[in-house]
Amino acid sequence: MIDQTLLSQSFDGDLPKRSQLSLDNETRSITAGEAIELVMSTPISEDAIQAAYDAEVAKFDASEEYNASHILVETEEEAIALVAELEGGADFAATAREKSTGPSGPNGGSLGWFGTGAMVPAFEAAVIALEVGEVSAPVQTQFGWHVIILNETRTKSAPAIEELRQNLELQLRRDAVEARVSELKADAEVNLEGREGIDPAIIKDLSLVQ
């Protein structure tokens, strides 16, 4: 910094055009950034946040979610035998730990909560058709044969406003910046003549300046 200061003070004469344009570009960019920061720092009312949240929730898909467990085996015969065991009173989780070849076996076959689209179609269709506590007939997928039990269902609820507050505030601030730019453009006389075919990045190419 000291070296640059001494060298700049020693410079005698006018800056070359390329340097002046570079300074102009930086000045414009920094000043515009300060104007954006001024808009972004304007406090956002709670009413605006609530309105943005209500709009977001209106788009929310309150879909059904399922909690299921399964036992995965290689053959249909094994799956049929499992269904018979379970209908005879065998504990599902204990049977899964003993006989399931899937990665969820050691956890009693539990798959946790999932929504539509998370499982392969045949498996998903079987789960949706079940009543809570009901065990499915054998279901074949590319992974093998499944015996499924539906543990619970629930309707996916919209996230609370506090979960979305940070994103909502950020979006409102961005919207405010866009609105300010549109307002300034509407009040200004902007000449865009000759811009067709010109890449805006050319403004950074100082090698074009003679």
Side-chain angles (χ1 to χ4, degrees):
M1 188 174 180
I2 292 172
D3 292 349
Q4 288 178 341
T5 301
L6 291 171
L7 287 167
S8 65
Q9 289 175 348
S10 72
F11 182 79
D12 186 17
D14 297 328
L15 285 174
K17 186 66 173 178
R18 65 178 185 279
S19 297
Q20 186 58 56
L21 288 175
S22 183
L23 282 173
D24 292 345
N25 286 346
E26 289 299 318
T27 300
R28 180 174 58 253
S29 177
I30 292 171
T31 306
E34 290 298 322
I36 289 174
E37 183 60 32
L38 189 62
V39 176
M40 293 280 282
S41 63
T42 301
I44 299 173
S45 71
E46 193 62 31
D47 287 344
I49 295 174
Q50 184 65 51
Y53 173 75
D54 292 342
E56 194 67 25
V57 169
K59 298 183 290 185
F60 181 78
D61 179 18
S63 57
E64 198 77 3
E65 291 187 315
Y66 306 90
N67 185 302
S69 301
H70 78 136
I71 303 171
L72 178 65
V73 290
E74 293 183 1
T75 67
E76 184 179 13
E77 290 73 20
E78 291 176 284
I80 292 172
L82 284 172
V83 172
E85 285 185 45
L86 295 168
E87 289 178 347
D91 180 74
F92 194 98
T95 304
R97 282 191 287 269
E98 179 185 353
K99 298 184 177 180
S100 181
T101 61
S104 65
N107 195 32
S110 176
L111 297 169
W113 288 100
F114 55 90
T116 55
M119 300 295 178
V120 294
F123 191 98
E124 178 182 294
V127 170
I128 292 174
L130 291 173
E131 298 292 333
V132 172
E134 184 182 1
V135 175
S136 75
V139 178
Q140 185 180 24
T141 71
Q142 64 265 44
F143 304 108
W145 288 87
H146 308 258
V147 176
I148 309 164
I149 186 170
L150 180 60
N151 302 316
E152 295 179 76
T153 65
R154 69 184 181 189
T155 301
K156 185 179 180 181
S157 58
I161 190 170
E162 291 306 320
E163 294 180 58
L164 300 180
R165 179 177 292 275
Q166 186 174 357
N167 288 339
L168 291 173
E169 288 186 1
L170 179 58
Q171 187 57 55
L172 287 169
R173 295 186 194 281
R174 287 173 174 168
D175 291 345
V177 171
E178 290 182 8
R180 178 58 177 156
V181 171
S182 296
E183 177 188 351
L184 291 170
K185 283 183 177 179
D187 292 339
E189 184 177 339
V190 181
N191 184 356
L192 298 177
E193 183 179 347
R195 69 169 179 167
E196 292 80 7
I198 302 297
D199 182 353
I202 201 171
I203 198 172
K204 297 289 187 181
D205 188 356
L206 297 177
S207 66
L208 296 173
V209 181
Q210 299 299 324

Coordinates of all heavy atoms in Angstrom, one line a residue, residues 4 10 19-20 27 34-35 39 62 64 66 73 78 81-82 95 97 104 108 110 112-113 149 152 182 188 192 200 206:
Q4 N 2.5 1.6 -3.4 CA 1.5 2.0 -4.4 C 1.3 3.5 -4.3 O 1.1 4.3 -5.2 CB 0.2 1.3 -4.3 CG 0.3 -0.2 -4.8 CD -1.0 -0.9 -4.7 OE1 -1.8 -0.5 -3.9 NE2 -1.1 -2.0 -5.4
S10 N 4.1 9.9 -7.5 CA 5.2 10.2 -8.4 C 4.8 10.3 -9.9 O 5.5 10.9 -10.7 CB 6.3 9.2 -8.3 OG 5.9 8.0 -8.9
S19 N -6.8 3.2 -18.4 CA -6.8 3.3 -17.0 C -8.0 4.1 -16.5 O -8.6 3.8 -15.5 CB -5.5 4.0 -16.5 OG -4.4 3.2 -16.8
Q20 N -8.3 5.2 -17.2 CA -9.4 6.0 -16.8 C -10.7 5.3 -17.0 O -11.6 5.3 -16.1 CB -9.5 7.3 -17.7 CG -10.6 8.3 -17.2 CD -10.3 8.7 -15.8 OE1 -9.3 9.2 -15.4 NE2 -11.4 8.5 -15.0
T27 N -15.6 2.6 -10.3 CA -16.4 3.6 -9.6 C -17.9 3.3 -9.8 O -18.6 3.3 -8.8 CB -16.0 5.0 -10.1 OG1 -14.6 5.2 -9.9 CG2 -16.9 6.0 -9.3
E34 N -23.1 0.2 -3.5 CA -23.6 0.9 -2.3 C -25.1 1.2 -2.4 O -25.8 1.2 -1.4 CB -22.8 2.2 -2.1 CG -21.3 2.0 -1.8 CD -21.2 1.3 -0.4 OE1 -22.0 1.6 0.5 OE2 -20.3 0.5 -0.2
A35 N -25.5 1.6 -3.6 CA -27.0 1.8 -3.8 C -27.8 0.6 -3.5 O -28.9 0.7 -2.9 CB -27.2 2.3 -5.2
V39 N -30.7 -0.2 -0.4 CA -32.0 -0.8 -0.5 C -32.1 -2.1 0.3 O -33.1 -2.3 1.0 CB -32.3 -1.1 -2.0 CG1 -33.6 -1.8 -2.2 CG2 -32.3 0.2 -2.8
A62 N -49.6 -30.2 0.3 CA -49.9 -31.0 1.5 C -50.1 -32.4 1.2 O -51.2 -33.0 1.3 CB -51.1 -30.4 2.3
E64 N -49.4 -36.7 1.2 CA -49.4 -37.7 2.2 C -48.0 -38.3 2.3 O -47.3 -38.4 1.3 CB -50.4 -38.8 1.8 CG -50.8 -39.8 3.0 CD -51.8 -39.2 3.9 OE1 -52.2 -38.0 3.7 OE2 -52.1 -39.8 4.9
Y66 N -45.6 -41.5 4.3 CA -45.8 -42.9 4.8 C -44.6 -43.3 5.6 O -43.5 -43.0 5.3 CB -46.0 -43.8 3.7 CG -47.1 -43.4 2.7 CD1 -46.9 -42.6 1.6 CD2 -48.4 -43.8 2.9 CE1 -47.9 -42.2 0.8 CE2 -49.5 -43.4 2.1 CZ -49.2 -42.6 1.0 OH -50.2 -42.2 0.2
V73 N -36.4 -60.3 0.3 CA -35.8 -61.6 0.1 C -35.6 -61.8 -1.5 O -36.1 -61.0 -2.3 CB -36.7 -62.7 0.6 CG1 -36.7 -62.7 2.2 CG2 -38.2 -62.6 0.1
E78 N -40.0 -67.4 -0.9 CA -39.6 -67.0 0.4 C -40.5 -65.9 0.9 O -40.9 -65.8 2.1 CB -38.2 -66.4 0.3 CG -37.1 -67.4 0.1 CD -35.7 -66.7 -0.1 OE1 -35.5 -66.2 -1.1 OE2 -34.9 -66.8 0.9
A81 N -43.8 -67.4 2.1 CA -43.6 -68.0 3.4 C -43.5 -67.0 4.5 O -44.1 -67.2 5.6 CB -42.3 -68.8 3.4
L82 N -42.9 -65.8 4.2 CA -42.9 -64.7 5.2 C -44.2 -64.2 5.6 O -44.6 -64.0 6.7 CB -42.0 -63.6 4.7 CG -40.5 -63.8 4.7 CD1 -39.8 -62.7 4.0 CD2 -40.0 -63.9 6.2
T95 N -38.5 -60.5 12.5 CA -38.4 -61.3 11.3 C -37.5 -60.6 10.3 O -36.7 -61.3 9.6 CB -39.8 -61.6 10.7 OG1 -40.6 -62.2 11.7 CG2 -39.7 -62.5 9.5
R97 N -35.1 -58.5 10.9 CA -33.7 -58.6 11.4 C -33.1 -60.0 11.1 O -31.9 -60.1 10.8 CB -33.6 -58.3 12.9 CG -33.7 -56.8 13.2 CD -33.4 -56.5 14.7 NE -34.4 -57.0 15.6 CZ -35.4 -56.2 16.0 NH1 -35.5 -55.0 15.6 NH2 -36.4 -56.7 16.8
S104 N -31.9 -52.3 5.4 CA -32.8 -51.9 6.5 C -33.0 -53.1 7.5 O -33.6 -52.9 8.5 CB -34.1 -51.3 6.1 OG -34.9 -52.3 5.4
G108 N -34.8 -53.6 11.8 CA -36.1 -54.1 11.8 C -36.9 -53.9 10.5 O -38.1 -53.9 10.5
S110 N -37.2 -51.0 9.0 CA -37.8 -49.7 9.0 C -37.2 -48.8 7.9 O -36.0 -48.7 7.7 CB -37.5 -49.0 10.4 OG -38.0 -47.7 10.3
G112 N -38.5 -45.6 7.7 CA -38.8 -44.2 8.1 C -39.9 -43.6 7.3 O -40.7 -44.3 6.6
W113 N -39.9 -42.3 7.3 CA -40.9 -41.5 6.6 C -40.5 -41.2 5.2 O -39.3 -40.9 4.9 CB -41.2 -40.2 7.3 CG -42.0 -40.4 8.6 CD1 -41.5 -40.4 9.9 CD2 -43.4 -40.6 8.7 NE1 -42.4 -40.6 10.8 CE2 -43.6 -40.7 10.1 CE3 -44.4 -40.7 7.9 CZ2 -44.9 -40.9 10.6 CZ3 -45.7 -40.9 8.4 CH2 -46.0 -41.0 9.7
I149 N -45.1 -53.6 5.6 CA -46.1 -53.3 6.6 C -46.1 -51.8 6.7 O -45.1 -51.1 6.7 CB -45.8 -53.9 8.0 CG1 -47.0 -53.6 8.9 CG2 -44.5 -53.4 8.6 CD1 -46.9 -54.4 10.3
E152 N -47.4 -46.1 9.8 CA -48.2 -44.8 10.1 C -48.3 -44.0 8.8 O -47.6 -44.2 7.8 CB -47.4 -43.9 11.1 CG -47.3 -44.4 12.5 CD -46.5 -43.4 13.3 OE1 -47.1 -42.4 13.7 OE2 -45.3 -43.7 13.5
S182 N -36.1 -1.0 -11.7 CA -37.2 -0.8 -12.6 C -37.7 0.6 -12.5 O -38.0 1.3 -13.5 CB -38.3 -1.8 -12.4 OG -37.9 -3.1 -12.6
A188 N -35.7 7.2 -16.3 CA -34.5 7.6 -17.1 C -34.7 7.5 -18.6 O -35.6 6.8 -19.1 CB -33.3 6.7 -16.6
L192 N -30.5 2.4 -26.0 CA -29.9 1.0 -26.2 C -29.6 0.8 -27.7 O -29.3 -0.3 -28.1 CB -30.9 0.0 -25.8 CG -31.2 0.0 -24.3 CD1 -32.2 -1.1 -23.9 CD2 -29.9 -0.2 -23.4
P200 N -22.2 -7.9 -23.4 CA -21.9 -6.9 -22.3 C -20.5 -7.1 -21.7 O -20.0 -6.1 -21.1 CB -23.0 -7.2 -21.3 CG -24.1 -7.8 -22.1 CD -23.4 -8.6 -23.2
L206 N -10.3 -4.1 -21.8 CA -9.6 -2.8 -22.0 C -8.5 -2.9 -23.1 O -8.0 -1.8 -23.5 CB -8.9 -2.4 -20.7 CG -9.9 -2.1 -19.5 CD1 -9.1 -1.8 -18.2 CD2 -10.8 -1.0 -19.8

